[in-house]
């Protein structure tokens, strides 16, 4: 007698017993349907380094359509040299004094790259012709920056007149990111937003969104004299972790006080509620949130948060939390890298690949998007600033099902089946590709017993993993490696065994 158990979505916040999804989906990507795909390992892209851990990175095309990648360490700013792929220091001569608990943020406006770290004056460089960063203005410092219509917008500010004003947003002259003098003519101005705590993020575009600690405010351009209309769209809802914020495809993702949210068309969707919010709270280290990074996988429609788990040494980020924003499903991963960012590939020639010594040593295949200039890809760095692309072999994956009363499931499918125990004799994994699969089963008489998996079994010539477990409740663990492409579920061979 056989039972088909498809892999549902990962739902760690639900009980294991009769969980409608799976209880573990590790080192996998939630697919576009009821299946999982392998998560590729990070592979060396550029053996370069920074003088400290990376604090921020941005990539863009300049006015001539050439790709550039910029990064910040604690005290210096860099660009990636297209000839060597090494980081090249292009800081202002005096360098920077970024406080340990602060970070850098970047935006692009009018062909300029603008960066801010709150400790120093905002910096800029002309992406097409610039050779070094310099002061954008000395009139304001800020923690957050974005581009809103024809303005550069900063939030959570400090200026020589009012000092620290964490609830303030301020914007440049229209069409001129270099001019920050208040003027009715140029429309450069500021706004204090009260009742929501400090600004945690500013998101630009045609309209602006300001995420405060406990408030979400919309900025709509109306022209002089008001310049912007400010409208509170959510009160007592806001962003708890500034480092968790990212936008993609018209959506804004962030972590609030009570879990993960996605905002689209000004509507909040609690994407982690009843799914992963409780799990994340229990498994993340709050003291390490300032080192969280988040990026978009543009090819798989994923948001990936990299954070320090409760098992992390010295608060170093070590775990991925992955969200498929097309399907609303989640998974996790172990991270050998410490910083995520979205990059554009720099143009490479075969001559430039000589730095790897041989074609066999080239870290990604020659048809990978990382070698053609201007192609977007998910990138990473370690704490030394070495760059990686996610183009390596599949990471060792683990999927665990919920816990099911096997005899009762048999009775629902097969007329005449009696009893509340069942003997599981084998499992047939439903996996595509040339996979190496090991299956383990855990059997319990009562739900209160500890989950103990037995010896693993591999696939025989008939596609089955022979197993033996006589119990009331069963759950299954699949460990996958090799060239697998999709994992859909398991088929269980079981027979009822009695009522004791």
């Amino acid at each position: 007698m056989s039972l088909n158990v498809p892999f549902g979505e990962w739902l760690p916040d639900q009980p294991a017993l009769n969980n409608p999804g799976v209880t573990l989906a590790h080192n996998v990507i939630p697919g576009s349907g009821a299946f999982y795909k392998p998560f590729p390992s990070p592979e060396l892209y550029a053996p370069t380094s920074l003088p400290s851990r990376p604090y921020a990175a941005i990539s863009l095309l300049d006015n001539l359509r050439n790709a550039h990648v910029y990064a910040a360490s604690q005290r210096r700013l860099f660009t990636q040299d297209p000839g060597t792929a090494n980081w090249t220091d292009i800081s202002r001569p005096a360098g920077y004094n970024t406080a340990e608990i602060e970070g850098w943020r970047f935006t692009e406006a009018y062909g300029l790259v603008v960066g801010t770290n709150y400790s120093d004056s905002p910096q800029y460089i002309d992406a097409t012709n610039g050779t070094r960063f310099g002061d954008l203005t000395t009139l304001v410092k800020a923690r957050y920056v974005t581009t809103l219509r024809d303005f550069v917008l900063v939030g959570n500010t400090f200026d020589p007149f009012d000092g620290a004003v964490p609830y303030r947003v301020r914007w440049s002259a229209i069409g001129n990111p270099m001019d920050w003098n208040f003027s009715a003519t140029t429309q450069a101005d500021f706004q204090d937003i009260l009742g929501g705590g400090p600004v945690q993020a500013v998101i630009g575009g045609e309209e602006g969104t300001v995420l405060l600690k406990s408030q979400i405010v919309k900025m709509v351009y109306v022209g002089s004299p008001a310049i912007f209309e400010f409208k509170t769209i959510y009160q007592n809802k806001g962003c708890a972790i500034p480092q968790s914020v990212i936008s993609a495809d018209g959506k804004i993702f962030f972590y609030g006080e009570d879990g993960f949210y996605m905002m689209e068309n000004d509507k909040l969707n609690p994407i982690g509620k009843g799914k992963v919010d409780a799990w994340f709270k229990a498994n993340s280290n709050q003291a390490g949130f300032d080192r969280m990074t988040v990026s978009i996988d543009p090819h798989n429609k994923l948001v990936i948060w990299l954070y320090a788990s409760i098992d992390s040494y010295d608060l170093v980020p070590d775990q991925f939390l992955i969200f498929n924003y097309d399907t609303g499903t989640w998974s996790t991963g172990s991270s050998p890298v410490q910083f995520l960012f979205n990059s554009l590939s720099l143009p490479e020639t075969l001559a430039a690949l000589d730095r790897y010594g041989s074609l066999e040593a080239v870290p990604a295949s020659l048809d990978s998007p990382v070698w053609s200039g201007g192609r977007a890809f998910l990138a990473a760095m370690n704490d030394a600033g070495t760059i990686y692309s996610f183009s390596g072999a599949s990471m060792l994956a683990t999927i665990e099902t919920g816990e099911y009363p096997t005899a009762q499931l048999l009775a629902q499918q097969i007329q005449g089946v009696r009893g509340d125990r069942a003997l599981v004799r084998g499992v047939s994994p439903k996996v595509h590709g040339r996979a190496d699969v090991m299956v383990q089963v855990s059997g319990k008489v009562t739900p209160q017993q500890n989950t103990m998996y037995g010896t693993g079994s591999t696939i025989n010539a008939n596609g089955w993993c022979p197993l033996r477990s006589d119990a009331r409740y069963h759950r299954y663990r699949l460990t996958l490696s090799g060239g697998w492409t999709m994992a859909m579920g398991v088929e269980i061979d079981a027979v009822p065994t009695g009522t004791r």
Side-chain angles (χ1 to χ4, degrees), residues 45-52 54 56-59 68-73 77-82 84-90 339 341 343 346 379-382 384-388:
Y45 176 65
T48 185
S49 63
L50 295 171
S52 77
I58 187 175
S59 59
H68 297 267
V69 182
Y70 299 91
S73 68
L77 295 175
F78 298 83
T79 188
Q80 193 181 2
D81 185 281
T84 66
N86 292 330
W87 291 119
T88 300
D89 191 336
I90 53 171
F339 182 89
F341 69 106
S343 188
L346 303 177
M381 285 186 268
N382 61 16
T386 303
I387 306 173
Y388 295 83

Side-chain angles (χ1 to χ4, degrees), residues 3 15 27 87 122 134 146 223 277 285 289 299 305 307 374 379 387 407 418:
L3 294 168
N27 286 340
W87 291 119
T146 192
D277 286 344
N285 194 323
F289 283 167
H299 304 293
W305 288 270
Y307 66 96
I387 306 173
R418 297 288 185 271

Side-chain angles (χ1 to χ4, degrees), residues 278-347:
W279 179 92
F280 179 76
K281 185 175 182 180
N283 287 276
S284 60
N285 194 323
Q286 183 175 352
F289 283 167
D290 65 299
R291 290 203 56 185
M292 177 186 285
T293 52
V294 57
S295 287
I296 300 294
D297 180 341
H299 304 293
N300 292 297
K301 302 294 185 182
L302 305 176
V303 185
I304 305 176
W305 288 270
L306 173 56
Y307 66 96
S309 73
I310 55 173
D311 298 320
S312 168
Y313 173 74
D314 203 23
L315 305 180
V316 173
D318 63 339
Q319 291 290 315
F320 297 121
L321 183 61
I322 305 161
F323 178 66
N324 184 318
Y325 56 84
D326 268 356
T327 62
T329 52
W330 298 83
S331 64
T332 62
S334 296
S335 177
V337 293
Q338 291 77 51
F339 182 89
L340 283 181
F341 69 106
N342 289 107
S343 188
L344 293 176
S345 56
L346 303 177

Side-chain angles (χ1 to χ4, degrees), residues 231-306:
K231 179 182 178 182
T232 298
I233 55 177
Y234 287 96
Q235 189 69 48
N236 300 319
K237 285 288 185 185
C239 175
I241 308 175
Q243 294 82 2
S244 70
V245 181
I246 198 167
S247 60
D249 293 349
K251 305 171 180 66
I252 300 171
F253 305 90
F254 64 94
Y255 186 83
E257 291 291 350
D258 55 349
F260 287 94
Y261 284 89
M262 178 179 74
M263 190 166 75
E264 185 176 16
N265 297 323
D266 298 344
K267 301 296 183 182
L268 272 183
N269 178 8
I271 55 177
K273 184 178 181 181
K275 296 183 177 184
V276 304
D277 286 344
W279 179 92
F280 179 76
K281 185 175 182 180
N283 287 276
S284 60
N285 194 323
Q286 183 175 352
F289 283 167
D290 65 299
R291 290 203 56 185
M292 177 186 285
T293 52
V294 57
S295 287
I296 300 294
D297 180 341
H299 304 293
N300 292 297
K301 302 294 185 182
L302 305 176
V303 185
I304 305 176
W305 288 270
L306 173 56

Side-chain angles (χ1 to χ4, degrees), residues 116-140:
T116 184
N117 68 347
Y118 194 73
S119 302
D120 300 284
S121 297
Q123 297 294 293
Y124 84 98
I125 191 171
D126 185 317
T128 306
N129 301 309
T131 57
R132 283 194 175 273
F133 277 93
D135 291 351
L136 181 76
T137 179
T138 58
L139 296 179
V140 64

